[in-house]
Amino acid sequence: MEKIEPMTLFGYKKLQAEVKYLKEVKRPQIVKDIEEALEHGDLKENAEYHAAKEQQRLTDDRIAELAELIGASKIVDPSELEHSRVSFGSTVVMSDTQTDEEVTYTIVGGCESNPNIGLISFNSPLAKQLLGKEEGDEVKVQLPGGKKELEIVEIRYQEIVFECH
């Protein structure tokens, strides 16, 4: 089964920009570093050469990983989706049934997630347990901090802000 990676246009452009940077800036610099290290002679004890070759391998692996992500990407405009139930792009306000503490998360693509600013990947355990739920539903979730029982207070679409300003 083909893996599909939903993401917003922002996430897609972010991935493309990273590939462009790796191919046009980082990789050519690594090639220069390898050439300079080769001029130092003996490769067995040439730490610069081995470090540059390792950087080249890591960069090539990342380019391949990004190519796979971009190939599997499906650009989704969350503003065009129905948000009466939790779905991709939904902002979900939840209340802890024990403490009444409210938390708000927006469900985004994996490459766009940033839990520190309330953006969680649709592949995260929490998002998977929320997808399809409605306002008023109670959800028992297993989080890194332990089990919690959350009530979905509100589901809405709001413009997603991906960067801290």
Side-chain angles (χ1 to χ4, degrees):
M1 192 172 101
E2 192 179 329
K3 186 179 175 204
I4 294 176
E5 278 290 326
M7 64 185 69
T8 64
L9 186 58
F10 171 88
Y12 187 77
K13 286 180 177 176
K14 179 179 162 189
L15 293 178
Q16 286 184 314
E18 186 178 349
V19 168
K20 183 176 167 63
Y21 167 76
L22 291 173
K23 286 183 173 179
E24 295 177 9
V25 178
K26 188 161 186 182
R27 200 154 193 308
Q29 182 58 52
I30 292 169
V31 170
K32 279 185 196 161
D33 293 346
I34 290 171
E35 289 170 358
E36 284 176 20
L38 284 171
E39 292 171 7
H40 297 169
D42 186 11
L43 294 182
K44 274 194 288 233
E45 295 183 21
N46 189 330
E48 292 90 359
Y49 173 78
H50 293 290
K53 288 300 279 184
E54 177 66 8
Q55 274 302 307
Q56 184 178 39
R57 185 187 66 74
L58 292 171
T59 300
D60 288 346
D61 288 352
R62 181 65 180 156
I63 290 170
E65 182 185 334
L66 290 167
E68 195 175 303
L69 263 175
I70 289 170
S73 68
K74 179 179 186 326
I75 297 172
V76 178
D77 181 350
S79 68
E80 295 175 357
L81 299 176
E82 178 63 45
H83 293 280
S84 59
R85 293 178 175 269
V86 178
S87 67
F88 182 85
S90 292
T91 295
V92 186
V93 180
M94 296 164 287
S95 174
D96 184 314
T97 58
Q98 303 299 310
T99 64
D100 285 336
E101 179 187 344
E102 275 196 358
V103 291
T104 302
Y105 289 112
T106 301
I107 299 174
V108 296
C111 67
E112 302 163 319
S113 73
N114 182 344
N116 295 333
I117 58 171
L119 304 177
I120 60 170
S121 167
F122 73 100
N123 274 325
S124 69
L126 177 57
K128 284 181 175 178
Q129 294 173 78
L130 294 174
L131 291 171
K133 300 288 192 251
E134 297 179 31
E135 287 181 8
D137 284 355
E138 288 193 2
V139 187
K140 287 183 174 89
V141 294
Q142 181 65 46
L143 300 173
K147 285 188 175 163
K148 287 196 176 203
E149 196 166 311
L150 302 170
E151 180 182 347
I152 298 176
V153 177
E154 182 185 1
I155 303 166
R156 65 176 182 270
Y157 171 74
Q158 68 183 35
E159 190 172 335
I160 303 169
V161 178
F162 289 100
E163 304 289 328
C164 294
H165 296 289

